[in-house]
Amino acid sequence: MRNFIFSIPTTAYFGKGQIKVLGQTIKAEGGSKVLLTYGGGSIKQNGIYDTILEQLNTAGLAYVELSGIQPNPRIESVEQGIKLYRDNNCDFILAVGGGSTLDACKAIAAGVMYAGPVNDLFVDASGLSSRIIAAAPLATILTMAGTGSELDMGAVITVGEDHKKKVLLHPLVNPRFSILDPEYTYTVPEHHTMAGVADILCHLMEQYFTPDVAAKVQDRMNEGVMKVVLEEAPKLLANPQDYDARANIMWASSMALAGFQFLLGKPGFAFPLHGMGHELSSQYDMTHGVTLALLTPAWMRYTMQAAPQHLPVFARFARNVMEIREEDDAKAAEAGIKALEAFYATIKMPLNLREAGVKQEDLDGMAAKAVENGKLGCLALLGKDEALQIMRMAF
């Protein structure tokens, strides 16, 4: 196992009614004037917004609002937030929503402390956003589980006319604290709930399918979280207000990327499914988790063909996670993929790219864009030709 440093500087307030700590905890973190950010306004319909304002007012905190942060958040929203923060002399950021709002606010937090354009702050050859030297304090209130942004140091922002997804990654943008109340996810539409489930599962799988088999603690923990996701997601289809199912899915989302714990002791690499999935989101404004569900089975089958020496890890996934009882590794791995496809069908993900509305003539361009910053993956490195082959398999 390789050397690593493990740190999760974010405090998680998990459970019913944890919003009660909001005002005083912001003050304890040094906040006095808050940039309050959210998306399309659903928090005003379900009562979360009023509860937040009550907390801020009771604590004597001033605030200004940035609303309308869209899914697949654009850099224009980030730039708007930076301007609002500076013009109003804010000293704290509160992100309320799902991963899109949280990601935008991480970029705002870094951008307000940087003299140049926020475009400078995306990851570079070092693998981090090395120009980030400071960030404004940030807290989050999660209203949709999936991205894990509430407990990690990453953000994905859409930039430019070609809707390129760019990554911001730095420990300084970890939230100071995150409020995780499963009841706040009760009103998330079924499609987005299940897309979040697919996102969680992909975060776990991309950290699991690696060539380093020495990190046994990480992999066994990962298997347990994956099994919880598989067990709890169908319960939400039956009852969207199943508190315990919501709670387990929300915590699985947070744990999936918390300090990138399931990659500890393993080689770092560019996540292949996220790299390709971002291009589907860019081209078609497709929900992120849906793109991952569409690509995962094809990527698994391609990798087993291109790098058969890694077949055992896929067989292990099949047996330990999908509960396949087959002694032959190749047969077990294929049965595991079929079981995963059946799960995606259960949570109502599209069966293939064609069904999702993707045009075959767009595949070549998306494959090229997916690898324009370098090859993806680690079991089998993916360049443009390999990414295109996987997309064709998924079509």
Side-chain angles (χ1 to χ4, degrees):
M1 195 189 307
R2 303 182 184 206
N3 294 359
F4 59 83
I5 298 171
F6 181 49
S7 173
I8 306 178
T10 304
T11 300
Y13 292 93
F14 188 95
K16 298 178 183 179
Q18 291 284 30
I19 193 73
K20 66 182 182 294
V21 307
L22 178 63
Q24 292 303 318
T25 309
I26 290 176
K27 290 182 72 173
E29 291 285 353
S32 61
K33 189 165 189 179
V34 178
L35 175 64
L36 169 62
T37 73
Y38 50 94
S42 62
I43 64 168
K44 292 185 176 180
Q45 299 166 9
N46 57 27
I48 297 172
Y49 176 80
D50 291 338
T51 304
I52 291 169
L53 294 196
E54 180 182 0
Q55 275 286 313
L56 298 179
N57 290 328
T58 299
L61 295 165
Y63 57 89
V64 294
E65 298 184 26
L66 172 64
S67 62
I69 295 176
Q70 60 277 76
N72 300 313
R74 293 193 58 83
I75 198 166
E76 288 80 5
S77 289
V78 174
E79 292 167 341
Q80 184 182 359
I82 292 170
K83 186 175 188 302
L84 267 176
Y85 186 99
R86 289 172 173 167
D87 289 351
N88 290 277
N89 296 313
C90 295
D91 54 19
F92 201 91
I93 302 171
L94 177 61
V96 185
S100 295
T101 301
L102 275 55
D103 280 11
C105 286
K106 288 178 179 180
I108 294 169
V112 297
M113 306 298 285
Y114 182 69
V118 70
N119 253 327
D120 291 348
L121 301 182
F122 297 109
V123 293
D124 51 31
S126 72
L128 287 175
S129 302
S130 60
R131 294 192 181 187
I132 295 177
I133 57 173
L138 164 70
T140 79
I141 299 174
L142 191 65
T143 63
M144 188 173 78
T147 70
S149 194
E150 66 277 5
L151 220 63
D152 74 17
M153 63 175 181
V156 179
I157 306 296
T158 303
V159 178
E161 293 182 2
D162 62 349
H163 294 184
K164 181 64 181 175
K165 299 274 191 171
K166 293 194 175 183
V167 176
L168 185 145
L169 195 67
H170 199 281
L172 287 172
V173 301
N174 273 293
R176 299 290 180 89
F177 67 93
S178 290
I179 293 174
L180 311 174
D181 186 337
E183 291 186 323
Y184 285 2
T185 66
Y186 279 177
T187 58
V188 176
E190 179 183 273
H191 174 74
H192 291 291
T193 296
M194 293 302 128
V197 165
D199 195 6
I200 298 165
L201 198 56
C202 189
H203 289 154
L204 294 164
M205 288 191 289
E206 289 200 281
Q207 295 173 92
Y208 186 80
F209 293 122
T210 70
D212 197 321
V213 297
K216 292 183 179 180
V217 173
Q218 292 85 314
D219 283 344
R220 295 302 174 265
M221 291 171 63
N222 190 332
E223 289 169 357
V225 180
M226 284 192 276
K227 287 178 70 67
V228 168
V229 174
L230 295 170
E231 292 165 359
E232 298 299 305
K235 296 178 183 178
L236 294 181
L237 289 172
N239 177 14
Q241 295 192 7
D242 183 329
Y243 178 83
D244 287 332
R246 288 281 184 188
N248 279 296
I249 291 295
M250 177 177 271
W251 193 234
S253 172
S254 298
M255 287 293 96
L257 288 179
F260 295 100
Q261 61 177 325
F262 299 129
L263 269 182
L264 297 176
K266 297 185 174 190
F269 60 94
F271 283 9
L273 291 163
H274 277 70
M276 292 184 288
H278 285 326
E279 300 311 324
L280 288 170
S281 292
S282 296
Q283 183 86 3
Y284 291 96
D285 203 26
M286 194 180 296
T287 303
H288 175 58
V290 174
T291 71
L292 303 174
L294 287 166
L295 292 167
T296 298
W299 172 81
M300 293 172 75
R301 289 191 173 102
Y302 168 82
T303 304
M304 289 192 300
Q305 295 168 9
Q309 70 272 26
H310 297 305
L311 178 62
V313 71
F314 292 97
R316 187 182 71 193
F317 167 81
R319 295 182 183 119
N320 294 357
V321 179
M322 306 309 297
E323 300 186 350
I324 300 301
R325 299 294 172 256
E326 168 60 60
E327 293 185 4
D328 180 82
D329 279 358
K331 291 179 180 178
E334 178 57 30
I337 296 172
K338 289 180 178 177
L340 180 62
E341 289 173 324
F343 172 77
Y344 286 143
T346 297
I347 64 171
K348 304 181 182 181
M349 294 293 102
L351 295 177
N352 51 53
L353 295 179
R354 182 188 292 108
E355 181 182 304
V358 174
K359 297 177 181 177
Q360 191 166 12
E361 58 266 29
D362 290 337
L363 299 183
D364 188 272
M366 289 190 294
K369 286 177 63 180
V371 299
E372 65 184 12
N373 292 323
K375 291 188 176 183
L376 303 172
C378 64
L379 295 181
L381 289 179
L382 308 182
K384 186 242 182 170
D385 291 343
E386 293 80 14
L388 179 58
Q389 185 175 340
I390 291 167
M391 290 182 180
R392 285 172 174 165
M393 291 171 68
F395 188 77

